[in-house]
Short mmCIF file of all heavy atoms in Angstrom, two decimals:
data_model
loop_
_atom_site.label_atom_id
_atom_site.label_comp_id
_atom_site.label_asym_id
_atom_site.label_seq_id
_atom_site.Cartn_x
_atom_site.Cartn_y
_atom_site.Cartn_z
N THR A 9 111.54 107.86 95.26
CA THR A 9 112.42 108.49 96.33
C THR A 9 112.36 107.81 97.69
O THR A 9 112.97 108.25 98.59
CB THR A 9 111.99 109.98 96.51
OG1 THR A 9 110.71 110.06 97.17
CG2 THR A 9 111.93 110.77 95.19
N SER A 10 111.57 106.70 97.75
CA SER A 10 111.54 105.97 99.00
C SER A 10 112.67 104.94 99.04
O SER A 10 113.58 104.98 98.18
CB SER A 10 110.20 105.21 99.02
OG SER A 10 110.17 104.04 98.24
N VAL A 11 112.67 104.12 100.02
CA VAL A 11 113.71 103.03 100.12
C VAL A 11 113.49 101.95 99.11
O VAL A 11 114.31 100.97 99.03
CB VAL A 11 113.74 102.47 101.59
CG1 VAL A 11 114.20 103.52 102.53
CG2 VAL A 11 112.37 101.85 101.93
N GLY A 12 112.40 102.03 98.33
CA GLY A 12 112.22 101.08 97.23
C GLY A 12 111.56 99.81 97.62
O GLY A 12 111.73 98.77 96.86
N ARG A 13 110.80 99.75 98.67
CA ARG A 13 110.11 98.54 99.13
C ARG A 13 108.64 98.63 98.77
O ARG A 13 107.95 99.40 99.38
CB ARG A 13 110.29 98.33 100.63
CG ARG A 13 111.76 98.05 100.98
CD ARG A 13 112.25 96.71 100.48
NE ARG A 13 113.60 96.41 100.86
CZ ARG A 13 114.67 96.61 100.11
NH1 ARG A 13 114.50 97.15 98.89
NH2 ARG A 13 115.83 96.35 100.51
N HIS A 14 108.25 97.82 97.79
CA HIS A 14 106.87 97.85 97.34
C HIS A 14 106.45 96.37 97.20
O HIS A 14 107.25 95.50 97.14
CB HIS A 14 106.68 98.71 96.07
CG HIS A 14 107.28 100.06 96.14
ND1 HIS A 14 106.77 101.07 96.86
CD2 HIS A 14 108.45 100.47 95.59
CE1 HIS A 14 107.55 102.15 96.73
NE2 HIS A 14 108.63 101.80 96.01
N ASP A 15 105.12 96.20 96.90
CA ASP A 15 104.62 94.80 96.81
C ASP A 15 103.69 94.75 95.67
O ASP A 15 102.91 95.65 95.37
CB ASP A 15 103.89 94.46 98.11
CG ASP A 15 103.12 93.17 98.00
OD1 ASP A 15 103.72 92.05 97.99
OD2 ASP A 15 101.87 93.27 97.81
N MET A 16 103.63 93.50 95.07
CA MET A 16 102.68 93.27 94.00
C MET A 16 102.19 91.74 94.13
O MET A 16 101.84 91.09 93.14
CB MET A 16 103.25 93.49 92.59
CG MET A 16 102.22 94.10 91.67
SD MET A 16 103.03 94.94 90.15
CE MET A 16 104.11 93.60 89.63
N LEU A 17 102.25 91.24 95.38
CA LEU A 17 101.76 89.88 95.70
C LEU A 17 100.47 89.85 96.51
O LEU A 17 99.67 88.93 96.34
CB LEU A 17 102.86 89.09 96.39
CG LEU A 17 104.15 88.77 95.72
CD1 LEU A 17 105.15 88.13 96.66
CD2 LEU A 17 103.88 87.91 94.49
N ILE A 18 100.25 90.82 97.42
CA ILE A 18 99.15 90.78 98.32
C ILE A 18 97.93 91.41 97.82
O ILE A 18 97.98 92.51 97.23
CB ILE A 18 99.64 91.59 99.66
CG1 ILE A 18 100.92 90.86 100.20
CG2 ILE A 18 98.56 91.48 100.65
CD1 ILE A 18 100.84 89.39 100.52
N ALA A 19 96.83 90.68 97.98
CA ALA A 19 95.56 91.19 97.53
C ALA A 19 95.12 92.35 98.35
O ALA A 19 95.54 92.61 99.51
CB ALA A 19 94.52 90.08 97.72
N ALA A 20 94.18 93.21 97.78
CA ALA A 20 93.62 94.29 98.48
C ALA A 20 92.85 93.80 99.74
O ALA A 20 92.21 92.80 99.66
CB ALA A 20 92.66 95.12 97.59
N CYS A 21 92.96 94.50 100.80
CA CYS A 21 92.18 94.13 102.00
C CYS A 21 90.74 94.36 101.65
O CYS A 21 90.37 95.16 100.89
CB CYS A 21 92.64 94.91 103.20
SG CYS A 21 92.41 96.67 103.11
N ASP A 22 89.89 93.51 102.33
CA ASP A 22 88.44 93.54 102.07
C ASP A 22 87.75 93.16 103.36
O ASP A 22 88.45 92.74 104.38
CB ASP A 22 88.06 92.60 100.86
CG ASP A 22 88.62 91.19 101.00
OD1 ASP A 22 88.79 90.75 102.15
OD2 ASP A 22 88.85 90.59 99.95
N PRO A 23 86.37 93.20 103.42
CA PRO A 23 85.65 92.88 104.68
C PRO A 23 86.00 91.50 105.13
O PRO A 23 86.13 91.20 106.38
CB PRO A 23 84.22 93.07 104.28
CG PRO A 23 84.23 94.06 103.18
CD PRO A 23 85.50 93.81 102.44
N GLU A 24 86.17 90.49 104.15
CA GLU A 24 86.41 89.12 104.55
C GLU A 24 87.83 88.98 105.25
O GLU A 24 88.00 88.12 106.18
CB GLU A 24 86.36 88.28 103.36
CG GLU A 24 84.95 88.08 102.69
CD GLU A 24 84.50 89.34 101.89
OE1 GLU A 24 85.34 90.14 101.57
OE2 GLU A 24 83.29 89.45 101.77
N ARG A 25 88.74 89.85 104.74
CA ARG A 25 90.15 89.80 105.33
C ARG A 25 90.04 90.20 106.87
O ARG A 25 90.61 89.57 107.68
CB ARG A 25 91.05 90.64 104.60
CG ARG A 25 92.36 90.93 105.21
CD ARG A 25 93.23 89.64 105.33
NE ARG A 25 94.61 89.97 105.76
CZ ARG A 25 95.39 89.09 106.34
NH1 ARG A 25 95.05 87.88 106.53
NH2 ARG A 25 96.74 89.41 106.61
N TYR A 26 89.29 91.22 107.08
CA TYR A 26 89.19 91.75 108.46
C TYR A 26 88.40 90.78 109.32
O TYR A 26 88.79 90.57 110.53
CB TYR A 26 88.56 93.13 108.50
CG TYR A 26 89.52 94.14 107.94
CD1 TYR A 26 89.35 94.81 106.69
CD2 TYR A 26 90.72 94.56 108.63
CE1 TYR A 26 90.26 95.71 106.15
CE2 TYR A 26 91.63 95.49 108.09
CZ TYR A 26 91.33 95.97 106.84
OH TYR A 26 92.27 96.87 106.36
N ALA A 27 87.42 90.12 108.80
CA ALA A 27 86.69 89.15 109.55
C ALA A 27 87.64 87.99 109.94
O ALA A 27 87.57 87.45 111.03
CB ALA A 27 85.46 88.65 108.78
N SER A 28 88.54 87.61 109.03
CA SER A 28 89.41 86.46 109.28
C SER A 28 90.47 86.85 110.39
O SER A 28 91.06 86.01 111.03
CB SER A 28 90.11 86.08 107.99
OG SER A 28 91.11 87.01 107.61
N LEU A 29 90.69 88.22 110.48
CA LEU A 29 91.59 88.69 111.51
C LEU A 29 90.88 89.08 112.89
O LEU A 29 91.53 89.53 113.75
CB LEU A 29 92.33 90.01 111.04
CG LEU A 29 93.29 89.80 109.84
CD1 LEU A 29 93.70 91.13 109.36
CD2 LEU A 29 94.42 88.94 110.20
N GLY A 30 89.64 88.68 112.96
CA GLY A 30 88.90 88.79 114.17
C GLY A 30 88.09 90.11 114.37
O GLY A 30 87.57 90.37 115.48
N VAL A 31 88.03 90.92 113.30
CA VAL A 31 87.30 92.16 113.44
C VAL A 31 85.79 91.88 113.32
O VAL A 31 85.40 91.13 112.46
CB VAL A 31 87.67 93.15 112.33
CG1 VAL A 31 86.84 94.37 112.34
CG2 VAL A 31 89.18 93.54 112.46
N THR A 32 85.03 92.42 114.18
CA THR A 32 83.55 92.28 114.07
C THR A 32 82.90 93.65 113.66
O THR A 32 83.39 94.69 114.06
CB THR A 32 82.99 91.86 115.47
OG1 THR A 32 83.33 92.85 116.41
CG2 THR A 32 83.49 90.53 115.89
N GLY A 33 81.90 93.47 112.82
CA GLY A 33 81.27 94.74 112.33
C GLY A 33 82.06 95.32 111.17
O GLY A 33 83.05 94.73 110.67
#
């Protein structure tokens, strides 16, 4: 029932992803 925009390319976010984005802790 949504606008039909979904994804099956992007990996699940994980601690390493946030570290690469500059998150500390």
Side-chain angles (χ1 to χ4, degrees):
T9 70
S10 75
V11 296
R13 295 291 182 264
H14 311 284
D15 167 77
M16 218 162 53
L17 293 175
I18 303 303
C21 61
D22 52 29
E24 294 75 17
R25 171 63 169 160
Y26 290 106
S28 74
L29 292 173
V31 174
T32 58

